[in-house]
Amino acid sequence: MIMILICFLAPWLAMFLRGHAVQGVLCILLHLSLIGWIPATIWALIVCRDRQAA
């Protein structure tokens, strides 16, 4: 539950916490623009869900 909240507020942080440093940097670049915030959030949610399923 906490991880989903982090995905919405700071998607780049969720990437770093899951061990995806390069994806985290790309996510920061997306998150810097308002248009990129939504795809960054969706991307972080997908990464978190894949990690929980494994």
Side-chain angles (χ1 to χ4, degrees):
M1 185 68 171
I2 298 280
M3 204 60 188
I4 293 172
L5 185 63
I6 291 173
C7 286
F8 279 108
L9 297 176
W12 52 270
L13 181 60
M15 295 287 196
F16 283 121
L17 290 175
R18 292 295 180 190
H20 301 280
V22 175
Q23 290 178 352
V25 171
L26 292 174
C27 207
I28 286 174
L29 294 175
L30 275 175
H31 197 238
L32 288 175
S33 67
L34 287 177
I35 296 169
W37 180 78
I38 294 170
T41 301
I42 293 169
W43 185 18
L45 286 169
I46 290 170
V47 168
C48 288
R49 289 193 71 203
D50 286 345
R51 192 69 176 252
Q52 289 175 355

